[in-house]
Amino acid sequence: MVKVVAGNWKMHHGPAAAERFFSRFSPSVEVGAVRMVFFAPDLSVAAAARAVRVPAEFGVQNIHWEAAGALTGETSAEMAREAGATLALIGHSERRHIFGENDAEVNSKVRAAVRAGLVPVVCVGELLEERRAGRLETVLRRQVGAFARSLAGVPESMVAYEPVWAIGTGETATPEDAAEAHGIVRSALGDLAGVPVLYGGSVKPGNAAALMSAPDVDGVLVGGASLDPDVFARIAEAGAGVRPGGPS
């Protein structure tokens, strides 16, 4: 399995900025050596897909579980698919902890993505206080357990582990921390052994290879460092240089 290097642009890079990004984004990687994914703002997905010059996939950062309705400001999975997205990021920590999404809503979005033919990339992770209280495994098993059955029989899906305490703080879980959490996620997934599990939390060029070399880490979900095309290219190159199961 090649490593997945996914960028989450969050509320950055409108259509014009997306085009400028891809005019500079040119990682030195062989085709097929790494799987590159971009989660762009909804309004930028089409522009980004037109401008990209390397093999890449595009997804939206959120969807609603309804296919249509009087839901001002929401985007359905079907709309995302029609706009060119092939993946949907679901349950990101900011959606959970800023916008109040709960486990049941996350599962409803997973089911909507599957119905529409989008690849769900579902985020899980613990808060600092939960980690300090020794609740890492409890939190991860609860979050994964809420949607695991919805992935049964789905040919493609991913899970992203986000140590919430490491997002935007400059703190980063060690490769050993990541391996421990990813092991719990894999155990909670049960029979879904082939689902890639990504690490997301202050990933940078300097730590990307070490994190992706850790056991059970199938790639990275990158936030702030994905906004700069040169920096993100270096992370993609790091992913291409890591052999499955160990460093290059």
Side-chain angles (χ1 to χ4, degrees):
M1 180 190 298
V2 300
K3 299 297 181 180
V4 178
V5 176
N8 175 19
W9 286 352
K10 305 189 181 185
M11 199 170 69
H12 299 280
H13 290 346
E19 292 177 357
R20 290 194 297 272
F21 178 98
F22 286 113
S23 71
R24 289 176 49 195
F25 182 69
S26 184
S28 299
V29 299
E30 295 182 2
V31 174
V34 67
R35 182 178 181 182
M36 283 182 279
V37 176
F38 292 88
F39 292 102
D42 289 358
L43 295 176
S44 300
V45 169
R50 287 194 303 267
V52 68
R53 298 183 297 179
V54 297
E57 302 166 65
F58 292 89
V60 290
Q61 300 170 12
N62 182 43
I63 55 171
H64 197 274
W65 54 83
E66 295 288 352
L71 297 162
T72 300
E74 293 291 338
T75 298
S76 71
E78 290 79 5
M79 290 175 178
R81 179 84 180 182
E82 185 177 347
T86 57
L87 306 95
L89 194 63
I90 299 172
H92 187 277
S93 59
E94 290 161 5
R95 299 299 313 177
R96 290 178 185 267
H97 302 299
I98 295 177
F99 297 98
E101 288 185 9
N102 58 40
D103 290 338
E105 290 169 333
V106 168
N107 184 48
S108 293
K109 293 183 178 188
V110 170
R111 294 171 66 85
V114 171
R115 286 196 304 270
L118 295 176
V119 175
V121 182
V122 196
C123 299
V124 299
E126 82 282 13
L127 297 167
L128 179 60
E129 54 266 33
E130 292 170 331
R131 184 176 186 82
R132 286 177 172 170
R135 297 179 57 212
L136 169 65
E137 182 166 1
T138 299
V139 170
L140 294 184
R141 287 190 177 277
R142 187 202 79 228
Q143 291 176 338
V144 173
F147 63 80
R149 289 185 179 179
S150 298
L151 299 182
V154 178
E156 271 205 281
S157 58
M158 301 185 214
V159 175
Y161 165 65
E162 303 178 288
V164 184
W165 47 272
I167 298 175
T169 65
E171 297 288 336
T172 307
T174 65
E176 292 76 17
D177 292 333
E180 177 190 13
H182 283 225
I184 294 170
V185 170
R186 286 209 183 282
S187 175
L189 284 168
D191 293 337
L192 303 171
V195 172
V197 182
L198 316 183
Y199 170 82
S202 294
V203 178
K204 299 176 175 62
N207 63 21
L211 287 165
M212 284 187 274
S213 296
D216 288 319
V217 178
D218 299 313
V220 288
L221 175 63
V222 185
S226 71
L227 299 177
D228 184 300
D230 300 322
V231 172
F232 194 59
R234 290 168 59 197
I235 296 175
E237 291 162 359
V242 176
R243 297 195 310 270
S248 61

Coordinates of all heavy atoms in Angstrom, one line a residue, residues 20-112:
R20 N -3.2 29.2 -8.3 CA -1.9 29.7 -8.0 C -1.1 28.6 -7.3 O 0.1 28.3 -7.6 CB -1.8 30.9 -7.2 CG -2.3 32.2 -7.9 CD -2.0 33.4 -7.2 NE -2.6 33.5 -5.9 CZ -3.8 34.1 -5.7 NH1 -4.5 34.6 -6.7 NH2 -4.3 34.2 -4.5
F21 N -1.7 27.9 -6.4 CA -1.1 26.8 -5.7 C -0.6 25.7 -6.6 O 0.6 25.3 -6.6 CB -2.1 26.1 -4.7 CG -1.5 25.0 -3.9 CD1 -1.0 25.1 -2.6 CD2 -1.5 23.7 -4.5 CE1 -0.5 24.1 -1.9 CE2 -1.0 22.6 -3.7 CZ -0.5 22.8 -2.5
F22 N -1.4 25.3 -7.6 CA -1.0 24.2 -8.5 C -0.1 24.7 -9.6 O 0.5 23.9 -10.3 CB -2.3 23.5 -9.0 CG -2.9 22.6 -8.0 CD1 -4.1 22.9 -7.5 CD2 -2.2 21.5 -7.5 CE1 -4.7 22.1 -6.5 CE2 -2.8 20.7 -6.5 CZ -4.0 21.0 -6.0
S23 N 0.0 26.0 -9.8 CA 1.0 26.5 -10.7 C 2.4 26.3 -10.2 O 3.4 26.3 -10.9 CB 0.8 28.0 -11.0 OG 1.1 28.8 -9.9
R24 N 2.5 26.1 -8.8 CA 3.8 25.9 -8.2 C 4.0 24.5 -7.6 O 5.2 24.1 -7.3 CB 4.0 26.9 -7.0 CG 4.2 28.4 -7.4 CD 4.2 29.3 -6.2 NE 5.1 28.8 -5.2 CZ 5.1 29.2 -3.9 NH1 4.2 30.1 -3.5 NH2 5.9 28.8 -3.0
F25 N 3.0 23.8 -7.4 CA 3.1 22.5 -6.8 C 3.6 21.4 -7.7 O 2.9 21.0 -8.7 CB 1.7 22.0 -6.2 CG 1.7 20.7 -5.5 CD1 2.4 20.6 -4.3 CD2 1.1 19.6 -6.0 CE1 2.4 19.4 -3.6 CE2 1.1 18.4 -5.4 CZ 1.7 18.3 -4.1
S26 N 4.8 21.0 -7.5 CA 5.5 20.1 -8.4 C 6.4 19.1 -7.7 O 7.7 19.3 -7.7 CB 6.2 20.8 -9.5 OG 6.8 19.9 -10.5
P27 N 5.9 18.2 -6.9 CA 6.7 17.3 -6.1 C 7.5 16.4 -7.0 O 7.1 16.0 -8.1 CB 5.8 16.6 -5.2 CG 4.5 16.6 -6.0 CD 4.5 17.9 -6.7
S28 N 8.7 16.0 -6.5 CA 9.6 15.1 -7.3 C 9.3 13.7 -6.9 O 10.0 13.1 -6.1 CB 11.1 15.4 -7.1 OG 11.3 16.7 -7.5
V29 N 8.2 13.2 -7.4 CA 7.8 11.8 -7.1 C 7.3 11.1 -8.3 O 6.8 11.7 -9.3 CB 6.6 11.8 -6.0 CG1 7.0 12.4 -4.7 CG2 5.3 12.4 -6.6
E30 N 7.6 9.8 -8.4 CA 7.1 9.0 -9.5 C 5.6 8.8 -9.4 O 5.1 8.7 -8.3 CB 7.8 7.7 -9.5 CG 9.3 7.8 -9.8 CD 10.0 6.4 -9.8 OE1 9.3 5.4 -9.7 OE2 11.2 6.3 -9.9
V31 N 5.0 8.7 -10.6 CA 3.6 8.4 -10.6 C 3.3 7.1 -9.9 O 3.9 6.1 -10.2 CB 3.1 8.4 -12.1 CG1 1.6 8.0 -12.1 CG2 3.2 9.7 -12.8
G32 N 2.3 7.2 -9.0 CA 2.0 6.0 -8.2 C 2.8 5.7 -7.0 O 2.5 4.8 -6.2
A33 N 3.8 6.6 -6.7 CA 4.6 6.3 -5.5 C 4.0 6.8 -4.3 O 4.4 6.4 -3.1 CB 6.0 7.0 -5.7
V34 N 3.0 7.7 -4.4 CA 2.3 8.2 -3.2 C 0.9 8.6 -3.7 O 0.7 8.9 -4.9 CB 3.0 9.4 -2.6 CG1 3.0 10.6 -3.6 CG2 2.4 9.8 -1.3
R35 N -0.1 8.5 -2.8 CA -1.5 8.9 -3.2 C -1.7 10.3 -2.6 O -1.8 10.5 -1.4 CB -2.5 7.9 -2.6 CG -3.9 8.2 -3.0 CD -4.9 7.1 -2.4 NE -6.2 7.3 -2.7 CZ -7.3 6.6 -2.3 NH1 -7.0 5.5 -1.6 NH2 -8.5 6.9 -2.7
M36 N -1.9 11.3 -3.5 CA -2.1 12.6 -3.0 C -3.6 13.0 -3.1 O -4.3 12.8 -4.1 CB -1.3 13.6 -3.9 CG 0.2 13.6 -3.6 SD 1.2 14.8 -4.5 CE 1.4 13.8 -6.0
V37 N -4.0 13.6 -2.0 CA -5.4 14.0 -1.8 C -5.5 15.4 -1.3 O -4.7 15.8 -0.5 CB -6.2 13.1 -0.8 CG1 -7.6 13.5 -0.6 CG2 -6.1 11.6 -1.3
F38 N -6.4 16.2 -1.8 CA -6.6 17.6 -1.4 C -8.1 17.8 -1.0 O -9.0 17.5 -1.8 CB -6.3 18.6 -2.5 CG -4.8 18.6 -2.8 CD1 -4.3 17.8 -3.8 CD2 -4.0 19.5 -2.2 CE1 -3.0 17.8 -4.1 CE2 -2.6 19.5 -2.5 CZ -2.1 18.7 -3.5
F39 N -8.3 18.2 0.3 CA -9.6 18.6 0.7 C -9.7 20.1 0.7 O -9.2 20.8 1.5 CB -9.8 18.1 2.2 CG -9.9 16.6 2.2 CD1 -8.9 15.9 2.7 CD2 -11.1 16.0 1.8 CE1 -9.0 14.5 2.8 CE2 -11.2 14.6 1.9 CZ -10.1 13.8 2.3
A40 N -10.2 20.6 -0.4 CA -10.3 22.0 -0.7 C -11.7 22.6 -0.2 O -12.6 21.8 0.0 CB -10.2 22.3 -2.2
P41 N -11.8 23.9 0.0 CA -13.1 24.4 0.2 C -14.1 24.1 -0.9 O -13.6 23.9 -2.1 CB -12.9 25.9 0.3 CG -11.4 26.1 0.7 CD -10.8 24.9 0.0
D42 N -15.3 23.9 -0.7 CA -16.3 23.5 -1.7 C -16.2 24.4 -3.0 O -16.2 23.8 -4.1 CB -17.7 23.7 -1.2 CG -18.1 22.6 -0.1 OD1 -17.2 21.8 0.2 OD2 -19.2 22.7 0.4
L43 N -16.0 25.7 -2.8 CA -16.0 26.6 -4.0 C -14.7 26.5 -4.8 O -14.7 27.0 -5.9 CB -16.2 28.0 -3.5 CG -17.5 28.4 -2.8 CD1 -17.5 29.8 -2.4 CD2 -18.6 28.2 -3.8
S44 N -13.7 25.8 -4.3 CA -12.4 25.7 -4.9 C -12.2 24.3 -5.6 O -11.2 24.1 -6.3 CB -11.3 26.0 -4.0 OG -11.4 27.3 -3.4
V45 N -13.0 23.3 -5.3 CA -12.8 22.0 -5.8 C -12.7 21.9 -7.3 O -11.7 21.3 -7.8 CB -13.9 21.0 -5.3 CG1 -13.8 19.6 -6.0 CG2 -13.8 20.8 -3.8
A46 N -13.6 22.5 -8.0 CA -13.6 22.4 -9.4 C -12.3 23.1 -10.0 O -11.7 22.6 -10.9 CB -14.8 23.0 -10.0
A47 N -12.0 24.3 -9.5 CA -10.9 25.1 -10.0 C -9.6 24.3 -9.7 O -8.7 24.3 -10.5 CB -10.8 26.5 -9.3
A48 N -9.5 23.7 -8.5 CA -8.3 22.9 -8.2 C -8.1 21.7 -9.1 O -7.0 21.4 -9.5 CB -8.4 22.5 -6.7
A49 N -9.2 21.0 -9.3 CA -9.1 19.8 -10.2 C -8.7 20.2 -11.6 O -8.0 19.4 -12.3 CB -10.5 19.1 -10.2
R50 N -9.1 21.4 -12.1 CA -8.7 21.8 -13.4 C -7.2 22.2 -13.5 O -6.6 22.0 -14.5 CB -9.6 23.0 -13.9 CG -11.0 22.7 -14.2 CD -11.6 23.9 -15.0 NE -11.6 25.1 -14.2 CZ -12.6 25.5 -13.4 NH1 -13.7 24.7 -13.3 NH2 -12.5 26.6 -12.7
A51 N -6.8 22.8 -12.4 CA -5.4 23.4 -12.4 C -4.3 22.4 -12.0 O -3.1 22.6 -12.3 CB -5.4 24.5 -11.4
V52 N -4.6 21.3 -11.4 CA -3.6 20.3 -10.9 C -2.8 19.7 -12.1 O -3.4 19.5 -13.1 CB -4.2 19.2 -10.0 CG1 -5.1 18.3 -10.8 CG2 -3.1 18.5 -9.3
R53 N -1.5 19.6 -11.9 CA -0.7 19.0 -13.0 C 0.0 17.7 -12.6 O 0.8 17.2 -13.4 CB 0.4 20.1 -13.3 CG -0.2 21.4 -13.8 CD 0.9 22.4 -14.2 NE 1.8 22.7 -13.1 CZ 2.8 23.5 -13.1 NH1 3.2 24.1 -14.3 NH2 3.5 23.8 -12.1
V54 N -0.4 17.2 -11.5 CA 0.1 15.9 -11.0 C -1.1 15.0 -10.7 O -2.1 15.5 -10.4 CB 1.1 16.0 -9.8 CG1 2.3 16.8 -10.2 CG2 0.4 16.6 -8.6
P55 N -0.9 13.7 -10.6 CA -2.0 12.8 -10.2 C -2.5 13.1 -8.8 O -1.7 13.1 -7.9 CB -1.5 11.4 -10.4 CG -0.3 11.5 -11.3 CD 0.3 12.9 -11.1
A56 N -3.7 13.5 -8.6 CA -4.2 13.8 -7.3 C -5.8 13.6 -7.3 O -6.4 13.6 -8.4 CB -3.9 15.3 -7.0
E57 N -6.3 13.5 -6.1 CA -7.7 13.3 -5.9 C -8.2 14.5 -5.0 O -7.4 15.1 -4.3 CB -8.0 12.0 -5.2 CG -7.5 10.8 -5.9 CD -7.5 9.6 -5.0 OE1 -8.6 9.1 -4.6 OE2 -6.4 9.0 -4.8
F58 N -9.5 14.8 -5.2 CA -10.1 16.0 -4.5 C -11.3 15.6 -3.7 O -12.1 14.7 -4.1 CB -10.4 17.1 -5.5 CG -9.2 17.7 -6.1 CD1 -8.6 17.1 -7.2 CD2 -8.5 18.7 -5.5 CE1 -7.5 17.7 -7.8 CE2 -7.3 19.2 -6.0 CZ -6.8 18.7 -7.2
G59 N -11.4 16.2 -2.5 CA -12.5 15.9 -1.6 C -13.0 17.2 -1.0 O -12.4 18.2 -1.0
V60 N -14.2 17.1 -0.4 CA -14.8 18.2 0.3 C -14.5 18.0 1.8 O -14.2 16.9 2.2 CB -16.3 18.4 0.1 CG1 -16.6 18.9 -1.4 CG2 -17.0 17.1 0.3
Q61 N -14.6 19.1 2.6 CA -14.3 19.0 4.0 C -15.4 18.7 4.9 O -15.2 18.5 6.1 CB -13.7 20.4 4.4 CG -12.4 20.8 3.6 CD -12.0 22.2 3.9 OE1 -12.5 22.9 4.8 NE2 -11.1 22.7 3.1
N62 N -16.6 18.6 4.3 CA -17.8 18.3 5.1 C -19.0 18.1 4.2 O -19.0 18.5 3.0 CB -18.1 19.5 6.0 CG -19.3 19.3 6.9 OD1 -19.5 18.2 7.5 ND2 -20.2 20.3 7.0
I63 N -19.9 17.3 4.6 CA -21.2 17.1 3.9 C -22.3 17.0 4.9 O -22.1 16.8 6.1 CB -21.2 15.8 3.0 CG1 -20.9 14.6 3.9 CG2 -20.2 15.9 1.8 CD1 -21.0 13.2 3.2
H64 N -23.5 17.2 4.4 CA -24.7 16.9 5.2 C -25.2 15.5 4.9 O -25.0 15.0 3.8 CB -25.8 18.0 4.9 CG -26.8 18.0 6.0 ND1 -27.9 17.2 6.0 CD2 -26.9 18.8 7.1 CE1 -28.7 17.4 7.0 NE2 -28.1 18.4 7.7
W65 N -26.0 15.0 5.8 CA -26.5 13.6 5.6 C -27.7 13.5 4.7 O -28.0 12.5 4.2 CB -26.7 12.9 6.9 CG -27.6 13.7 7.9 CD1 -29.0 13.7 7.9 CD2 -27.2 14.5 8.9 NE1 -29.5 14.5 8.9 CE2 -28.4 15.0 9.6 CE3 -26.0 14.9 9.5 CZ2 -28.4 15.9 10.6 CZ3 -26.0 15.8 10.5 CH2 -27.1 16.3 11.1
E66 N -28.4 14.7 4.5 CA -29.6 14.7 3.7 C -29.1 14.9 2.2 O -28.1 15.6 2.0 CB -30.5 15.8 4.1 CG -31.2 15.6 5.5 CD -32.2 14.5 5.5 OE1 -32.5 14.0 4.4 OE2 -32.6 14.1 6.6
A67 N -29.9 14.3 1.3 CA -29.5 14.5 -0.1 C -29.9 15.9 -0.7 O -29.4 16.4 -1.6 CB -30.2 13.4 -0.9
A68 N -31.0 16.5 0.0 CA -31.5 17.8 -0.5 C -32.4 18.3 0.6 O -32.8 17.5 1.5 CB -32.2 17.7 -1.8
G69 N -32.7 19.6 0.6 CA -33.7 20.1 1.5 C -33.5 21.5 1.9 O -32.6 22.2 1.3
A70 N -34.3 22.0 2.8 CA -34.2 23.4 3.2 C -33.1 23.6 4.3 O -33.4 23.7 5.5 CB -35.6 23.9 3.8
L71 N -31.9 23.5 3.9 CA -30.7 23.4 4.8 C -29.7 24.4 4.3 O -28.7 24.1 3.7 CB -30.2 22.0 4.8 CG -31.1 20.9 5.4 CD1 -30.6 19.6 5.0 CD2 -31.2 21.1 6.9
T72 N -30.0 25.7 4.5 CA -29.2 26.8 3.9 C -27.8 26.7 4.4 O -27.5 26.5 5.5 CB -29.8 28.1 4.4 OG1 -31.1 28.3 3.9 CG2 -28.9 29.3 3.9
G73 N -26.9 26.7 3.4 CA -25.4 26.7 3.7 C -24.8 25.3 3.7 O -23.6 25.2 3.8
E74 N -25.6 24.3 3.5 CA -25.1 22.9 3.6 C -24.8 22.4 2.2 O -25.4 22.9 1.2 CB -26.1 22.0 4.3 CG -26.2 22.3 5.8 CD -25.0 22.0 6.6 OE1 -24.1 21.2 6.1 OE2 -24.8 22.5 7.7
T75 N -24.0 21.4 2.1 CA -23.7 20.7 0.8 C -24.0 19.2 1.0 O -23.5 18.6 1.9 CB -22.2 20.9 0.5 OG1 -21.9 22.3 0.3 CG2 -21.8 20.2 -0.8
S76 N -24.7 18.7 0.0 CA -25.0 17.2 0.1 C -23.8 16.5 -0.5 O -23.1 17.0 -1.3 CB -26.3 16.9 -0.6 OG -26.1 17.1 -2.0
A77 N -23.8 15.2 -0.2 CA -22.8 14.3 -0.8 C -23.0 14.2 -2.3 O -22.0 14.2 -3.1 CB -22.8 12.9 -0.2
E78 N -24.2 14.2 -2.8 CA -24.5 14.1 -4.2 C -24.0 15.4 -4.9 O -23.4 15.3 -6.0 CB -26.0 14.0 -4.4 CG -26.5 12.6 -4.0 CD -26.8 12.5 -2.5 OE1 -26.6 13.5 -1.8 OE2 -27.1 11.4 -2.1
M79 N -24.2 16.6 -4.3 CA -23.7 17.8 -4.9 C -22.1 17.8 -5.0 O -21.6 18.2 -6.0 CB -24.1 19.0 -4.1 CG -25.6 19.3 -4.1 SD -26.0 20.7 -3.0 CE -27.8 20.8 -3.3
A80 N -21.5 17.3 -3.9 CA -20.0 17.2 -3.9 C -19.5 16.4 -5.0 O -18.6 16.7 -5.7 CB -19.6 16.7 -2.5
R81 N -20.2 15.2 -5.2 CA -19.8 14.3 -6.2 C -20.0 15.0 -7.6 O -19.1 14.9 -8.5 CB -20.7 13.1 -6.2 CG -20.4 12.0 -7.2 CD -19.2 11.1 -6.8 NE -18.9 10.1 -7.8 CZ -18.0 9.2 -7.7 NH1 -17.3 9.2 -6.6 NH2 -17.8 8.4 -8.7
E82 N -21.1 15.7 -7.8 CA -21.3 16.3 -9.1 C -20.3 17.4 -9.4 O -19.9 17.7 -10.5 CB -22.7 16.9 -9.1 CG -23.1 17.5 -10.4 CD -24.5 18.0 -10.4 OE1 -25.3 17.7 -9.5 OE2 -24.9 18.8 -11.4
A83 N -19.8 18.1 -8.3 CA -18.8 19.1 -8.4 C -17.4 18.6 -8.7 O -16.5 19.4 -8.9 CB -18.8 20.0 -7.2
G84 N -17.2 17.3 -8.7 CA -15.9 16.7 -9.0 C -15.2 16.1 -7.8 O -14.1 15.5 -8.0
A85 N -15.8 16.1 -6.6 CA -15.1 15.5 -5.4 C -15.3 14.0 -5.5 O -16.3 13.5 -6.0 CB -15.7 16.1 -4.1
T86 N -14.3 13.3 -5.0 CA -14.4 11.8 -4.9 C -14.3 11.4 -3.5 O -14.5 10.2 -3.2 CB -13.3 11.1 -5.8 OG1 -12.0 11.6 -5.4 CG2 -13.5 11.5 -7.3
L87 N -13.9 12.3 -2.6 CA -13.8 11.9 -1.2 C -14.5 13.0 -0.3 O -14.8 14.1 -0.8 CB -12.3 11.9 -0.7 CG -11.4 11.0 -1.5 CD1 -10.6 11.8 -2.6 CD2 -10.3 10.4 -0.6
A88 N -14.8 12.6 0.9 CA -15.4 13.5 1.8 C -14.8 13.4 3.2 O -14.7 12.2 3.7 CB -16.9 13.3 2.0
L89 N -14.3 14.5 3.7 CA -13.7 14.5 5.1 C -14.9 14.6 6.1 O -15.7 15.5 5.9 CB -12.8 15.7 5.2 CG -11.8 15.7 6.4 CD1 -10.8 14.5 6.4 CD2 -11.1 17.0 6.5
I90 N -14.9 13.7 7.0 CA -16.1 13.6 7.9 C -15.6 13.6 9.4 O -14.6 12.9 9.7 CB -16.9 12.4 7.6 CG1 -17.5 12.4 6.2 CG2 -18.1 12.2 8.6 CD1 -18.2 11.2 5.7
G91 N -16.3 14.4 10.2 CA -16.0 14.3 11.7 C -14.6 14.9 12.1 O -14.1 14.6 13.1
H92 N -14.1 15.9 11.3 CA -12.9 16.5 11.7 C -13.0 17.1 13.0 O -14.1 17.5 13.4 CB -12.5 17.6 10.6 CG -11.2 18.2 10.8 ND1 -11.0 19.2 11.7 CD2 -10.0 17.9 10.3 CE1 -9.7 19.6 11.7 NE2 -9.0 18.8 10.8
S93 N -11.9 17.2 13.8 CA -12.0 17.7 15.2 C -12.7 19.1 15.3 O -13.4 19.4 16.2 CB -10.6 17.7 15.8 OG -9.8 18.6 15.1
E94 N -12.4 19.9 14.2 CA -13.1 21.3 14.3 C -14.6 21.2 14.1 O -15.3 21.9 14.7 CB -12.4 22.1 13.2 CG -11.0 22.5 13.6 CD -10.2 23.0 12.4 OE1 -10.7 23.1 11.3 OE2 -8.9 23.2 12.6
R95 N -15.0 20.2 13.3 CA -16.5 20.0 13.1 C -17.0 19.5 14.5 O -18.1 19.9 14.9 CB -16.7 19.0 12.0 CG -16.3 19.4 10.6 CD -16.9 20.7 10.1 NE -18.3 20.7 10.3 CZ -19.1 21.8 10.0 NH1 -18.5 22.8 9.4 NH2 -20.4 21.7 10.1
R96 N -16.3 18.6 15.1 CA -16.8 18.0 16.4 C -16.8 19.0 17.5 O -17.8 19.1 18.2 CB -16.0 16.8 16.8 CG -16.1 15.6 15.9 CD -15.2 14.5 16.4 NE -15.1 13.3 15.5 CZ -15.9 12.2 15.7 NH1 -16.7 12.1 16.7 NH2 -15.7 11.1 14.9
H97 N -15.7 19.8 17.6 CA -15.5 20.6 18.9 C -15.8 22.0 18.7 O -16.0 22.7 19.7 CB -14.1 20.4 19.4 CG -13.8 18.9 19.7 ND1 -14.5 18.2 20.6 CD2 -12.9 18.1 19.1 CE1 -14.0 17.0 20.6 NE2 -13.0 16.9 19.8
I98 N -15.9 22.5 17.5 CA -16.4 23.9 17.2 C -17.9 23.9 16.9 O -18.6 24.7 17.4 CB -15.5 24.6 16.2 CG1 -14.1 24.7 16.6 CG2 -16.1 26.0 15.8 CD1 -13.2 25.4 15.6
F99 N -18.2 23.0 16.0 CA -19.6 23.0 15.5 C -20.5 22.0 16.1 O -21.7 21.9 15.8 CB -19.6 22.8 13.9 CG -18.9 23.9 13.2 CD1 -17.6 23.7 12.8 CD2 -19.6 25.1 12.9 CE1 -16.9 24.7 12.1 CE2 -18.9 26.1 12.2 CZ -17.6 25.9 11.8
G100 N -20.0 21.2 17.1 CA -20.8 20.4 17.9 C -21.3 19.1 17.3 O -22.3 18.5 17.8
E101 N -20.6 18.6 16.3 CA -21.1 17.3 15.7 C -20.9 16.2 16.7 O -19.8 16.1 17.3 CB -20.3 17.0 14.4 CG -20.7 17.9 13.3 CD -20.0 17.5 12.0 OE1 -19.3 16.4 11.9 OE2 -20.1 18.3 11.0
N102 N -21.8 15.3 16.8 CA -21.7 14.2 17.7 C -21.5 12.9 16.9 O -21.5 12.9 15.7 CB -22.9 14.1 18.6 CG -24.2 13.9 17.8 OD1 -24.3 13.2 16.8 ND2 -25.3 14.6 18.3
D103 N -21.3 11.8 17.6 CA -21.0 10.5 16.9 C -22.1 10.1 16.0 O -21.8 9.5 14.9 CB -20.7 9.4 18.0 CG -19.4 9.6 18.7 OD1 -18.5 10.3 18.2 OD2 -19.3 9.1 19.8
A104 N -23.3 10.3 16.4 CA -24.5 9.9 15.5 C -24.5 10.7 14.2 O -24.8 10.1 13.2 CB -25.8 10.0 16.3
E105 N -24.2 12.0 14.3 CA -24.2 12.8 13.1 C -23.1 12.4 12.2 O -23.2 12.4 11.0 CB -24.1 14.3 13.5 CG -25.4 14.8 14.1 CD -25.3 16.1 14.8 OE1 -24.1 16.5 15.2 OE2 -26.3 16.9 14.9
V106 N -21.9 12.1 12.8 CA -20.8 11.6 12.0 C -21.1 10.4 11.2 O -20.9 10.2 10.0 CB -19.5 11.4 12.9 CG1 -18.4 10.6 12.1 CG2 -19.0 12.7 13.4
N107 N -21.8 9.4 11.9 CA -22.2 8.2 11.3 C -23.2 8.5 10.1 O -23.1 7.8 9.1 CB -22.8 7.2 12.3 CG -23.1 5.9 11.7 OD1 -22.3 5.3 10.9 ND2 -24.3 5.4 11.9
S108 N -24.1 9.4 10.3 CA -25.1 9.7 9.3 C -24.4 10.3 8.1 O -24.8 10.0 6.9 CB -26.1 10.7 9.8 OG -26.9 10.2 10.8
K109 N -23.3 11.0 8.3 CA -22.6 11.6 7.1 C -21.8 10.5 6.4 O -21.6 10.5 5.2 CB -21.7 12.7 7.6 CG -22.4 13.9 8.1 CD -21.5 15.1 8.5 CE -22.3 16.3 9.0 NZ -21.5 17.5 9.2
V110 N -21.2 9.6 7.2 CA -20.5 8.4 6.6 C -21.5 7.7 5.7 O -21.2 7.3 4.5 CB -20.0 7.5 7.7 CG1 -19.4 6.2 7.0 CG2 -18.8 8.2 8.4
R111 N -22.7 7.4 6.2 CA -23.7 6.7 5.4 C -24.0 7.4 4.1 O -24.2 6.9 3.0 CB -24.9 6.3 6.2 CG -24.6 5.4 7.4 CD -25.8 5.2 8.3 NE -26.9 4.6 7.7 CZ -27.1 3.3 7.6 NH1 -26.2 2.5 8.1 NH2 -28.2 2.8 7.0
A112 N -24.2 8.8 4.2 CA -24.5 9.6 3.1 C -23.4 9.6 2.0 O -23.6 9.5 0.8 CB -24.8 11.0 3.5

